[in-house]
Each structure stands twice: as C-alpha cells, then as structure tokens.
Amino acid sequence: MTGTDRIAHPWGTRTPYGPGEPWPVRVDTYLEEGLGEADVDRWVPSATILHSNGDGLDIAVKDGRIVGVRGRAADRVNHGRLGPKDLYGWQAGNSQDRLTTPLIRRDGRLVETDWDTAMDAVAGRTRELLDERGPGSIGFYTTGQLFLEEYYALAMIAHGGIGTNHLDGNTRLCTATAATALKESFASDGQPGSYTDIDHADVIALYGHNMAETQTVLWSRVLDRLGGPNPPAIVCVDPRRTPVAEAATVHLAPVPGTNVMLMNALLHEIIENDRVDHDYVDRHTVGFKELAAQVAGCDPETAARVCDVPADDIRTAARLIGGAERLLSTVLQGFYQSHQATAAAVQVNNVHLVRGQLGRPGAGVLQMNGQPTAENTRECGADGDLPGFRNWANDAHVEELARLWNLDPLRIPHYGPPTHLMKIMRYVEEGSIRLLYVCGTNPAVSLPELRRIRRLLTQERLFLVVQDIFLSETASLADVVLPAATWGEKTGTFTNTDRTVHLSEKAVDPPGQARSDLDIFLDYADRLDLRDKDGSPLVPWRDPEEAFEAWKRCSAGRPCDYSGMSYAMLREGAVQWPCNAEHPAGGERLYADGRFFSDPAYCESYGHDMITGAPLEPDEYKSMNPFGKAVIKAAEYLPPHEPPRADLPFTLITGRTLYHFHTRTKTGRVPQLNAAAPEVWVEMSPEDARERGWAEGDLLRVTTPRGAVEARLRISGVRTGVLFLPFHYGYWDTPSGAEPDGADGRAANELTITDWDPASKQPLFKTAAAQAERVRPGDGQPAPAPTTTASKPVEPGVPETRGGPAAMADERPGGPA
C-alpha cells in the first residue's frame, strides 16, 4: 500500500493501460484517523455526490456514524478510485451545525418549531394562494443533488397536483445547455457516449471542460491512457492553462465569447479537407448543406482575428479531430456558461455527425453534467420538462402522462414552454409568484447579480420555503426552513453523466428531526390532499422502492427507459439506461447504426431557433426532419453582449476549483478541502500583472456595473485580458454570516450579469466586462489558491491507495474549472 496526499496529488498514482485494454483497478480508501477496515461495523453501498462522475463507493459505518469511504473495485465507472471530494467530503454530514429541527419566522426571527406547525404553514399558504391567485402563484426551485425518486415525486406534485409550470432545478446554471444541445441535434436528451470510450479513443477533445478538476477520477482514466502505449492525442479548448491544457497535444485559448467562431473554423477545415463521412451524413442526418454554407467563410485566419488563437493551431486541432478513427469529445461550463452556449455545444455534436463518430467504442460525445443527479432532474421533469423525456408540445405525450397519473390532461400545464429559473425569479420580482419552494440549493450565492436576488427574495409578499441540510444564505432569508437528510441518511437511486444508475442505501439515521426529501414531499402532498381524477391519492407510494417502481412505468418505452431495472438488480452493480427487453443488462452507447430518438411523433423536442430561442412548431420540425434523422444545425457567430471597454478593460469569467462544490455549504465544512482553498482569489495573466506592477498576493478590488469583490491576486496561466474568480465563496462562514451591506463582497456573483442563452436559458457567467484595481500590496504571502505542494499539512489522515504498479505522478491542480 502507498500513502498518498490526495490534496496535493488529487489524481493519485498512475496505472497505465493501452487502447482496448481494461482500466486497471485501484482502490482508494479514507477512514477517520485511528481506524482500520477491520474496525468498521459495516460497509453500505452508494456512489459519490460532489460531482457528476458517479463513482461507486462503500460507506463505512461504526457505532451508527459514517466514518469513511472505500472505492468499489467492481464499479464500471471508477474501478475503485475516488477523488479528494469523495474521500473527504462525507465529513460534512457529521457537522455539528446541521439543521435538525424545523424553523419558522416569528417577529422577524427564525425560531425552532415542530414538523406539524412548519408543514401546516407551508401547505396552508399554498392552499391560500391556489384559492386566491391560482397555480401560477406557486414556484419550485430544486437542485441537482436529490435522488431520482424525490425528483419524480416533486414533478408529480408540481405539474400534476398543483398544476404550476414554474418548476426548475439549479441544473439550469450548469448543464441546461447539455440537455438543449442534445435535443437540438438528436431531438432528445441522453448522452450518446460512455466513459469507456476513453479506453478506445485515439483523439480526445475537451471543449471548455477542465476535467482534471471537475471529474478527477475520469481525468485519472485519461492520464492512465496517456501513460500507456499508443496514447490518445488531446485537444483542449479553454482560455486558461489548466491541467488539461498542460497535457494537451494542442491547446486553443480563445477570447471568451468566441466559441462559435472557433467551432465554425474547425468545421470549415474538416469539410474543406473532405474529412466527412458522406455515407453517414446522407443516410442519417439532415442539414449538412446549410452547415457547409455557414462555415465556408470561417477559415482559420478569420477565426484567428476574432478568437485571438493562432491559425496554425486551429489547423493542427482540425487535422487531429478530422483524422481521428475514434473521436471522443466532452463539453462543459467553458461552453455552457459562455455567450452563444447552445450554438457552440451543438457544433461539437456537428463534428461527430459530419465525421460519423457515434455509437461505437471510442466514438462518442459527452455533453457533461456538473452535479451528481443532474441527469435525474431532467429525466424526471424536475427541470420543468415533462417526465420521461416527453414533449410538452406533443398532445399525445401529455395524454400518455395523464393516463399514468390518472389525471385529466388539462391538469398538466403544457400551454407553453416550462418556466425557466431566471423567468421564475422575474415573476417573484414582479409579484406574480408569491410562494417559492427552494430545495437543496442556495440562490442567494449561486445566481447572477446577487444584489438583485437578495432584494427579490426578501420581499414581504413572498413566502419563501427552504429545504436543506444547513442554514445557508438562502435559508437564513426563509419564512420556513425544513431540515433534510443528506447522502448516506436515506435510500434512492441516481444517474451519472454516461447514464449509469447507482443505488445508494441508507447507512445511518439523519440527525435530530431531519427527514428525507421524499418523506417531506409526500407529507406536503398529503396535507394538500392532492387527488387523481378518481379521488385516490395522487402520489400513492410511501417509500423509495415504490417510487422507483412508479418511475419505471413512467419511463417505459421512452429514451430513458428504466423498465428492466430493479433495486435487487442495482444491488448487484450499477446499470446504464436504457435497460429494457432490448437491453436487459443496459445499453452502453446510444445511436448505434444511426438510429435516433428523433421521429416527430416520439421526440422530446422539436428544437429552437438558436439566436432568438423561439421553439420550432411541430409542423416546422416534421417538414425539416420527417424520417427522424439527426439534425446538423448551423450557427452564425455573434459578438458578446457586454464586451470590454476603456473603463472596464477585462472580461470576467467565473468557475470552479477542484476542492469545492457549489457554494461550499458542504465542502467548506470539511477540514482538508477547506484548508486547500480557504478564501476567494482572483486570477490574472503574468502579462497583465506585470503591466500594472502587481504581485502575487496583492489585494485587488474587481468591479463590474453590478458590484465589487475584493480578493487576493493569483498570477496564473489565464489568457491576457481575462480575470477569473471562483464562484463558491459566499458569506455563511464570515464573521457576520451575512452578505455585505454596502461593502465589497467576496461572492463572484455580486459581479455577474443577468443574461442567458436564448435556447437553453442557462445564465452566462463568463461574459462580464470588469475593472481591477489594487487596494493594497500583498504581505509577501501567496494568494490563497488551491494547494500546490505536498508538504501542506492535511488532517486527520492520509488515504490508502491499493492497486496500480506505477509510481506517484508529479501532477498537481493548476487552475480552476
């Protein structure tokens, strides 16, 4: 066994392997200091929750407490490996400041109360508003961290019981563009590729995806391919020199907001040099002629002028992508949260369609997710869409769902597109939404233009309900706070990016009076007395397994088909969907042999105009794609809405760091993770810092038209003219525990703009014009950036690593995600 400091070396030891070989096993374990595996009372199966990778693990329980985790060697996703957030993050659940009893606001203060009082207040206000103002006065905003069974219950309550169209998840902030891009190209959500494509690919292209920090175990898989025989070439598109960029064969660092122009230049080169699979295009796609016409004028020189990327580098990348025999592409926030998000992500799909690189080992695209159960949010309809990837604009789909729920179809809102998050907040601001039920997310830190968000959430006329495990910045503003159980304290299923479904078993009881989200939702439905058309309870099931069986019936025959699964099957190991009679053990890849979910009568979406966001009418789609092929959709480059100017010379982009998740409500309470990245910082290029005479550790004030943030300077590989701020840092752990009152803040979203992609409605966090000034020189200490030395003390212990023969790689996180 080798002791490894997994803060300084987050990807662990190397286990090299070659193309087509199985990825070697390496089992990572971390237990409370002083404990060994023999001291554990029992191991409870689950998977990881602080990212979207879905790494299988077992939870260690001793004396009724979670005391550690161990990677599961047989799991198809991770082969035993765990990342830093996996190894250490479970400690947050043991924090002494967990919410353990309901809270209700009395005389301006939150005070403890009992469950009946709290739930009667929530259900009572809901009934009052339904009577006085109708279902449009109720809104729900959920998370990407619940279980499938909980999302399905919430969607059934909101859509079928209350009848509101105002339901969305915080997946709107991170991967709404993933879903929309898939729907634009394939007319349905669902990832075409599989993680096992890394084992076969000869070229891997990562677009705005710092996999090294957002999916550390998946990056370990890539590193092991790079360390083995016949390694793949790596193409990285990112304005920062991240660990992915360091490993890349070619790194393209475009000006933020110019991704569409860059993608059009790559497609220009592929078409110009006839790297097109014409037979595949002719048999399985529509739209190629329009794409060829659109990119005809986008040669590398044109793109170089717009993107500030060398034309020769664009050609090199295009040669690699165009010449690949097995091409894997991944996409994440660098595209999803940038200008023209959907249009850029769709062009990645176009590369695969033009090249015929889908549906076989090594040939796939992964429009990545950012959260552990983001896929379930979308599948179950908790993002506002209809459950089972049904089409809200197809009356037959609505009628089918109504039969499943035993409702009149008119009770399910489908008069227009689901209300996306930013419009929900607008309705709160205008006063048409009077009750907002927030579950497992923290909009008072994570949404753009925070001053505005705080103002609208504190309106006297708004009844704010927050269901969470800690008293977050948002919970502190609520009228009622409901204490929820977290991972390890309840049972349910969740699905990762490549459609792998894990069952997470309850390991310990939740603290105090905290209850599972499913139990809370069922209590809410009971108190509202929601009924189907025969007078029976709308939500009849009482436990997670019953809810899963109901979901199987809802998903049967749809793209995300779970009908062949069961809890018993999942206890034997994780399974990918679709799982049905055709794929009894699960389907590894979608779209083999050019078969798509895009038939007009079956598809989830008819698509959008990617400039205006207007949905296509059913007849438009049927005319364009009568035989259900994949859609090659061209996009014109348009300049960003808030470019730099003389008084705001920088472009501000925000993002993640390896050691934290979302707004740090969990990771900020974990000693190892918080010590690795304790404070907010701002990144600037060496050239920009040198021009101003600034040094590492100087205190800067970053301003935009919306606010100001103070942060220590970190000089990094970000491109010139760009500032980077991690978005995780809020105010719950500051001395006041509250947002600034007229002073400079530390939350990056004090600065971001209220703007969103027209098709996916995802907010744009990487497109703000900014200024920076030095408040005072540093004290000689480096900026509080992520740990980069193995000598930093880590407590309470060092995880064990079992398996691979290779020595420790000297690889350390080089930048945020």
Side-chain angles (χ1 to χ4, degrees), residues 336-385:
Y336 298 164
Q337 294 180 340
S338 293
H339 177 62
Q340 290 192 283
T342 299
V346 164
Q347 303 319 301
V348 179
N349 296 340
N350 286 345
V351 168
H352 283 261
L353 291 170
V354 165
R355 298 228 50 241
Q357 292 281 337
L358 285 172
R360 52 191 173 84
V365 61
L366 291 167
Q367 298 280 353
M368 298 295 292
N369 298 337
Q371 296 188 71
T373 64
E375 192 69 35
N376 302 122
T377 315
R378 291 159 20 201
E379 293 164 4
C380 297
D383 66 343
D385 287 331

Side-chain angles (χ1 to χ4, degrees), residues 212-227:
E213 304 211 36
T214 56
Q215 284 93 18
T216 54
V217 168
L218 201 62
W219 182 241
S220 294
R221 196 167 193 154
V222 173
L223 288 176
D224 287 348
R225 276 295 319 275
L226 292 176

